[in-house]
Amino acid sequence: MRSFWGLMRAYWFSDRWVEAWTLTLIIALFTALSSKAGVWFAEASGELVNSIAFYHDAANTTPLASLLTNAGVLILLVVLKDAGFTGIRTFVSATLHRKWRGWLDTRFNAALLDTNHTHFHAQHGSSAAAAPDNIDQRVQESIKDMTGGAIGLAIGVMAVATSLYFVGRKLLESSAEVKGLEFLGSYGSAVLAFLAVAIYVPLNTWIAVKLGRLLERLNIRMQQSEGSYRGELTTFLRRSFHVAASQGENVQKAMHDRLYVDIDRTWARLNIVNTSYRSFELVYTFIGARIVAYAPGLVPYIHNRFDLKGYITGSEMVNSLINQCSWFIHVMPSIAALRANSQRVTELANAIENVQHPQEFYSLTGCSDFRYDRQNPVFGLTIQKLELTHQGEDATPFLSAANLRFRRGEWTFLKGESGCGKTSLIKAINGLWPYGRGTIVFPEGVESFYAAQEVKLQQVSLKQLVCLPGSERDHTDTQVASALHKAGLGDFIEHMADESRDGMSWDQVLSGGQKQKLVVARIVLQQPGLLFLDEATGALDPEGKIAFHQAIKDNCPDVTVISIMHEAVPPRSLSGAEFYHSIVAIADGVATKKSLAPSLPVELTTILAHPRPVAETRPVEERWLRFPRRIRQK
């Protein structure tokens, strides 16, 4: 699905091919019937005009009955063609549109949400392969509009083919000799009709193509502008509190105004081109229906080769042929929109394909040589010769670690100044940092869990939120309720099956601290062997941080923990026992690991970890002198 035609035919050669071809054949059948009904319509129109023309003729003994009968037949044919054949075809084509779009949507969602984290890598493009903008718009709107437009165009092609067959055959059957073209015999009028269509339609199609290319470029530009504006609105609503707290409404408004200016300018140009095209189409249709369609049969009619009924019937069939062959002109705006939408979708398909091998993708714009392996779980997690860099072949490493080993059950505290690379280190271990080199060896058969500071919750049931990344079917209600209770969220147990509460999603209901307690419930339920905490306690108070660690300590006895926090020293339990066994300190771009020896007394460490309010503190010297001599000597 990385090219236009590949995208167009993928559904018909997929596992749903029976469904696709069945609906397509039904559409083709009713398109053919509609084209045949067009011939009947032309003949009925000729009969009606003839009954009107000879209404006062002395030979016409039942003028009124003839007129009413022909009018009734014409109305029945209109109902049969438009409400019957065309109506059924419209319903079936809408069903095909729904099925095709659903299949494509499923495929793109599966591709984006695979175990390769494609959705993440696809948004981190580089100078070699730019990240596609507004992926949500491409999946939602572009696929929908593209599939609908393609079906409409395919129906137009079918209509042209069937009309050429049915109408063309009827024109040949009713053709007459034309003066000056006697060498054509009785096919003279038919040849004139085909010649008129062959000259008039292609010439105007060429003009339509020129205008269509301009429409296509403007449609792409319009989609990009609309997508950027909508994306910013979505982001703004998610950070609404921060905008209010910083009183940043004027800056946000200016940003919205700037983005909308691009929409407005593109829309203005698009309106000009659309109006010009509409005017061209109206003039083209009138000339085709009233001049080109009636001109070929006029010469034989003047020379009495046709009667009035034959002339009207033949002209209506030529008009029908012109109309059907002009589908390309009539749907040129739709073709421009189709090509714009398909380009958006194929760009996304290419971006997905490009990042299927992330290291190869990132190697195009920098060093990306990470090796991930497995070893006996007895040896824990090992990091060897790790260097992290930014984009660029000659980028200097901002963090290096010669050899780090984390034993089973060991708790390690990552310490360093802001921006030194603590989070980047955890990302690299989990395969989410693009540039650098090194070897990361995981304990075999051990599941890992990554808990970040900011917790975003999907709109699913509370039970499903606790069971992530697994399914709610993997755990019983009792197990989930126990995990919620141990995490300090026992008040919500009765609402486990609900996707919302009081009309709000769980992402809106739960506070920042409660969301981080929800992470604890996940950890307790999942029992991972490797746990990465990236400032996962940032929204909790000191007591909450202790409870967070204690819940993991009590329920996951063999877990290996690697944690980032802003505290100067890692927290301890209420009894003063250490949670952490070692520290990885990052200084001057180098990460080194050492044991967390009890170099300071428990009383002093507790004061440093949980300082008193400013009003209650005393001078350092005064508080230091309160400790016994043996402690001060240490």
Side-chain angles (χ1 to χ4, degrees):
M1 295 187 290
R2 301 177 66 185
S3 66
F4 175 78
W5 290 113
L7 188 64
M8 291 296 105
R9 64 174 179 263
Y11 175 52
W12 279 262
F13 293 92
S14 69
D15 56 342
R16 302 264 290 276
W17 66 272
V18 174
E19 171 187 89
W21 283 107
T22 300
L23 293 172
T24 303
L25 291 174
I26 294 173
I27 292 172
L29 172 63
F30 281 95
T31 299
L33 290 173
S34 181
S35 297
K36 183 63 176 177
V39 176
W40 299 337
F41 180 84
E43 293 176 334
S45 296
E47 291 289 349
L48 179 60
V49 171
N50 191 62
S51 62
I52 294 173
F54 293 95
Y55 187 86
H56 298 291
D57 192 283
N60 191 355
T61 57
T62 56
L64 183 59
S66 176
L67 178 63
L68 294 176
T69 299
N70 289 326
V73 169
L74 190 61
I75 292 172
L76 287 175
L77 286 172
V78 170
V79 172
L80 178 65
K81 180 178 182 294
D82 294 338
F85 300 152
T86 305
I88 294 173
R89 183 185 68 183
T90 300
F91 174 76
V92 177
S93 64
T95 302
L96 178 61
H97 183 196
R98 178 171 59 86
K99 298 286 188 180
W100 186 15
R101 182 205 174 181
W103 181 81
L104 276 175
D105 187 82
T106 301
R107 288 296 302 273
F108 273 92
N109 272 286
L112 285 167
L113 299 171
D114 59 3
T115 55
N116 181 55
H117 308 305
T118 295
H119 63 93
F120 174 80
H121 297 300
Q123 297 180 80
H124 290 74
S126 59
S127 56
D133 63 278
N134 306 301
I135 291 179
D136 57 330
Q137 183 200 45
R138 294 172 189 258
V139 173
Q140 182 185 9
E141 295 180 6
S142 296
I143 287 179
K144 179 183 177 182
D145 294 342
M146 180 198 71
T147 49
I151 291 171
L153 293 178
I155 290 174
V157 173
M158 294 178 191
V160 170
T162 53
S163 292
L164 283 172
Y165 176 75
F166 291 117
V167 177
R169 191 175 68 173
K170 190 64 180 178
L171 280 173
L172 290 172
E173 290 176 358
S174 58
S175 181
E177 186 179 289
V178 177
K179 188 175 182 180
L181 298 176
E182 290 84 0
F183 63 93
L184 295 175
S186 60
Y187 294 114
S189 63
V191 170
L192 283 179
F194 291 136
L195 189 62
V197 174
I199 294 175
Y200 185 67
V201 174
L203 176 62
N204 287 276
T205 299
W206 179 81
I207 299 174
V209 168
K210 293 294 184 182
L211 293 172
R213 287 175 180 170
L214 182 56
L215 282 172
E216 179 185 343
R217 291 194 294 271
L218 289 173
N219 269 292
I220 293 173
R221 181 60 185 166
M222 191 68 175
Q223 289 186 21
Q224 291 172 338
S225 302
E226 292 279 10
S228 298
Y229 186 54
R230 188 181 68 178
E232 179 55 40
L233 285 174
T234 302
T235 304
F236 155 64
L237 293 174
R238 289 175 180 170
R239 64 177 181 228
S240 177
F241 168 77
H242 303 286
V243 173
S246 63
Q247 299 184 6
E249 283 83 1
N250 287 334
V251 174
Q252 190 70 41
K253 181 178 178 296
M255 187 183 302
H256 290 176
D257 291 342
R258 176 173 55 80
L259 289 172
Y260 193 81
V261 165
D262 194 27
I263 293 176
D264 187 67
R265 289 174 178 171
T266 307
W267 199 352
R269 295 178 62 191
L270 194 58
N271 284 342
I272 293 172
V273 179
N274 273 324
T275 301
S276 301
Y277 193 91
R278 181 58 180 164
S279 299
F280 157 75
E281 186 182 5
L282 289 172
V283 172
Y284 167 82
T285 301
F286 176 82
I287 294 175
R290 292 292 174 263
I291 298 176
V292 179
Y294 281 80
L298 186 61
V299 176
Y301 176 70
I302 291 173
H303 291 89
N304 208 25
R305 302 292 185 181
F306 283 145
D307 57 11
L308 181 61
K309 182 179 77 173
Y311 174 56
I312 296 297
T313 300
S315 299
E316 285 296 319
M317 284 192 290
V318 174
N319 182 34
S320 175
L321 190 62
I322 291 175
N323 188 55
Q324 294 293 351
C325 291
S326 300
W327 68 273
F328 194 80
I329 294 174
H330 295 317
V331 300
M332 181 54 69
S334 299
I335 293 175
L338 170 64
R339 291 184 60 85
N341 283 305
S342 64
Q343 181 173 329
R344 302 277 288 170
V345 177
T346 53
E347 283 176 354
L348 177 57
N350 277 292
I352 290 172
E353 187 66 26
N354 288 338
V355 300
Q356 288 309 297
H357 302 285
Q359 290 202 48
E360 294 180 10
F361 171 69
Y362 291 121
S363 294
L364 298 173
T365 53
C367 175
S368 184
D369 188 20
F370 296 104
R371 291 179 173 84
Y372 296 89
D373 206 345
R374 295 282 176 177
Q375 65 184 2
N376 192 302
V378 172
F379 300 106
L381 172 68
T382 304
I383 298 174
Q384 301 170 347
K385 299 179 181 179
L386 182 70
E387 293 182 345
L388 301 185
T389 64
H390 294 292
Q391 181 176 319
E393 294 292 344
D394 300 325
T396 303
F398 64 85
L399 176 63
S400 62
N403 190 11
L404 299 177
R405 179 183 171 189
F406 305 91
R407 303 185 307 274
R408 181 168 59 182
E410 180 183 7
W411 287 45
T412 303
F413 179 69
L414 263 64
K415 183 179 179 181
E417 296 180 355
S418 294
C420 68
K422 299 186 295 294
T423 296
S424 300
L425 175 59
I426 289 184
K427 286 182 177 179
I429 295 173
N430 286 273
L432 298 176
W433 184 260
Y435 300 107
R437 60 170 61 89
T439 301
I440 298 96
V441 186
F442 283 88
E444 192 170 12
V446 174
E447 297 293 330
S448 63
F449 190 103
Y450 189 157
Q453 177 181 13
E454 189 175 12
V455 183
K456 292 294 184 181
L457 304 179
Q458 294 99 323
Q459 192 165 348
V460 294
S461 69
L462 180 60
K463 180 181 178 181
Q464 178 63 79
L465 289 174
V466 178
C467 293
L468 287 173
S471 169
E472 59 184 345
R473 295 185 296 272
D474 298 337
H475 304 278
T476 65
D477 289 352
T478 303
Q479 291 172 323
V480 175
S482 175
L484 284 169
H485 176 73
K486 292 174 181 177
L489 296 174
D491 293 341
F492 297 101
I493 290 175
E494 60 182 308
H495 302 287
M496 283 195 306
D498 301 335
E499 292 188 2
S500 60
R501 188 176 180 188
D502 300 328
M504 296 187 294
S505 67
W506 288 109
D507 193 59
Q508 298 169 308
V509 171
L510 299 180
S511 66
Q514 288 173 327
K515 290 178 183 178
Q516 293 188 333
K517 290 180 180 180
L518 182 64
V519 172
V520 178
R522 290 178 183 171
I523 296 168
V524 170
L525 184 67
Q526 310 278 339
Q527 292 287 302
L530 269 174
L531 178 59
F532 301 92
L533 302 176
D534 187 359
E535 300 184 25
T537 60
L540 297 172
D541 57 22
E543 291 75 17
K545 293 177 182 179
I546 293 174
F548 183 103
H549 286 79
Q550 193 67 55
I552 298 173
K553 196 78 171 180
D554 293 342
N555 296 280
C556 306
D558 295 325
V559 65
T560 300
V561 178
I562 302 175
S563 176
I564 299 173
M565 285 181 289
H566 282 302
E567 283 75 12
V569 293
R572 292 184 174 189
S573 68
L574 292 175
S575 64
E578 295 278 7
F579 286 122
Y580 289 88
H581 309 103
S582 58
I583 288 181
V584 169
I586 300 176
D588 299 325
V590 179
T592 54
K593 184 171 178 283
K594 62 182 180 179
S595 297
L596 186 61
S599 57
L600 293 177
V602 173
E603 295 91 337
L604 183 56
T605 305
T606 303
I607 289 176
L608 291 175
H610 310 295
R612 297 178 184 178
V614 175
E616 298 181 9
T617 59
R618 300 180 181 182
V620 175
E621 296 82 359
E622 182 179 344
R623 287 186 283 120
W624 178 251
L625 291 173
R626 292 182 59 193
F627 288 99
R629 181 185 298 276
R630 60 181 178 81
I631 293 178
R632 283 184 282 151
Q633 287 176 346
K634 289 185 180 181

